Amino acid sequence: MNKKTFNIFGWVLLLGMAVSWIGFGYSSWYILLIPMAYISFSISDGSIKKFEKIKQMSIRQVILTLFAFVVSVGIAFALIQLANYLINEILHLTGWIKTISEIVAVIFSVYPVKFTFGSVVYKVTKDLNAAR
């Protein structure tokens, strides 16, 4: 398959997920679809070849990366639960305002994950490049 096909497949997955989320609400299938879209985009832009650096990682770097991932997921989960409490229990939002607030809350809860996990991955990648 060529790179353009993987790019189109990634966009179809993301747009299909967005439409079904808006139409039917959240489903546990999205947990599977997001990594599939990410892998499709990674194949299409050629960055999947960069995963060969994982073989060069030390045990310490692997543990640090996994710990950062767990902490990042915990932060995101806590922020989503906090937003859910604020939206449902404190503000008592309903209808489209509630839906838009939930989408914005999920988007904002991902940013701390981006900074915490991203900074650790950047540091590990920098250490791997310096070791060459």
Side-chain angles (χ1 to χ4, degrees):
M1 291 185 154
N2 61 14
K3 293 179 178 185
K4 188 175 181 180
T5 305
F6 282 106
N7 192 20
I8 292 171
F9 182 69
W11 279 111
V12 166
L13 282 174
L14 284 180
L15 292 174
M17 186 180 62
V19 167
S20 70
W21 188 347
I22 291 170
F24 304 111
Y26 176 77
S27 173
S28 60
W29 281 98
Y30 301 150
I31 296 172
L32 180 63
L33 293 178
I34 292 283
M36 287 176 54
Y38 179 76
I39 289 170
S40 296
F41 288 130
S42 295
I43 291 171
S44 73
D45 70 2
S47 64
I48 197 83
K49 294 177 184 175
K50 295 177 185 175
F51 288 134
E52 293 176 1
K53 291 183 180 183
I54 293 174
K55 296 176 188 174
Q56 302 170 352
M57 291 174 66
S58 68
I59 298 295
R60 180 183 164 277
Q61 291 171 328
V62 170
I63 291 172
L64 178 66
T65 305
L66 289 175
F67 180 73
F69 178 74
V70 169
V71 169
S72 298
V73 169
I75 290 170
F77 182 74
L79 289 175
I80 289 172
Q81 292 293 47
L82 175 65
N84 185 34
Y85 175 75
L86 289 174
I87 291 169
N88 291 325
E89 303 299 325
I90 303 295
L91 300 174
H92 302 290
L93 298 177
T94 59
W96 282 99
I97 294 176
K98 179 180 178 182
T99 303
I100 291 171
S101 299
E102 288 172 344
I103 292 170
V104 169
V106 168
I107 291 170
F108 281 144
S109 69
V110 174
Y111 276 104
V113 172
K114 176 183 174 185
F115 295 124
T116 56
F117 186 64
S119 63
V120 170
V121 169
Y122 177 75
K123 181 186 179 301
V124 168
T125 305
K126 189 172 117 180
D127 290 346
L128 287 175
N129 288 337
R132 280 187 179 184

